[in-house]
Every structure is written in C-alpha cells, then in structure tokens.
Amino acid sequence: MLNLDSNYPALGETLELVTTGSSPCATFGGTILGFALPWGAIGTPLCMPLCACSLYVQPDVMTIGFPVAGTWTTPLALPANAALCGAVFFAQSFTVEPVFTVITSNFLTLT
C-alpha cells in the first residue's frame, strides 16, 4: 500500500514528503502538490476509471521520483516569507506500474 507522510512544515526550512510502500515493479512515481481539492471543501476523490485510482488533490505541481527499495523523498523548500503563514496546500503520491496501472496514496493537508 502506497503511503505519503511528511515532517512538520515550517517557514524557512525544507519540507520532506516521504512516499513509502511502492512495489518493486513500479516504473516511476510522482508527488502531486495542489492548492485546492478537486471537489472543493467536500474533498470527494475524483474517480479515474481508466486506472482504478483516486485523485484527491488538484494537480497544480507535479514532481517525478524513482522508488529505491519502495521509497522516495520529495524535498520542498519553504521560503521564510510571513505571507505564507496559514497557507494551505495538499499533497498526494502515485506510482506507475507495468501494464499502465497507476496506484495512488493517501493525501495530506499541510498548513
């Protein structure tokens, strides 16, 4: 089971989004960052029937990662800007498996 976790976000420091639980067959993975949920405050997952997975985060930014021993880390430098205090963003990871299968993780709400 794919799982996404992070350290505590603090301005002026690096937030580390850690994805674990990737299968050994995963070709590559990615972490999606968004500033909204696809269905607003309700947070209902967007069903993607072609890949049988759920997209919980509006995809504003995407990074690519290559799992090593089922894990990869996405570092995100948070600027020391007081205007970002209280800003909310969301994160979710995915892997692409053979035969065009996509597996998604849980999502995080970060402030």
Side-chain angles (χ1 to χ4, degrees):
M1 183 168 124
L2 202 60
N3 186 47
L4 178 64
D5 201 4
S6 75
N7 59 341
Y8 187 77
L11 295 179
E13 297 192 13
T14 300
L15 173 69
E16 291 188 358
L17 298 166
V18 180
T19 305
T20 58
S22 175
S23 80
C25 297
T27 309
F28 68 93
T31 301
I32 300 168
L33 301 172
F35 299 100
L37 298 173
W39 295 96
I42 300 169
T44 305
L46 178 64
C47 180
M48 297 168 34
L50 294 178
C51 61
C53 60
S54 297
L55 178 65
Y56 293 98
V57 176
Q58 176 178 310
D60 293 319
V61 177
M62 185 176 73
T63 64
I64 299 297
F66 295 96
V68 175
T71 301
W72 76 90
T73 300
T74 304
L76 178 63
L78 300 175
N81 185 339
L84 295 175
C85 279
V88 177
F89 65 98
F90 307 92
Q92 183 178 12
S93 289
F94 68 92
T95 58
V96 177
E97 308 282 334
V99 195
F100 304 107
T101 302
V102 177
I103 298 174
T104 56
S105 73
N106 57 309
F107 80 100
L108 300 177
T109 302
L110 302 157
T111 57

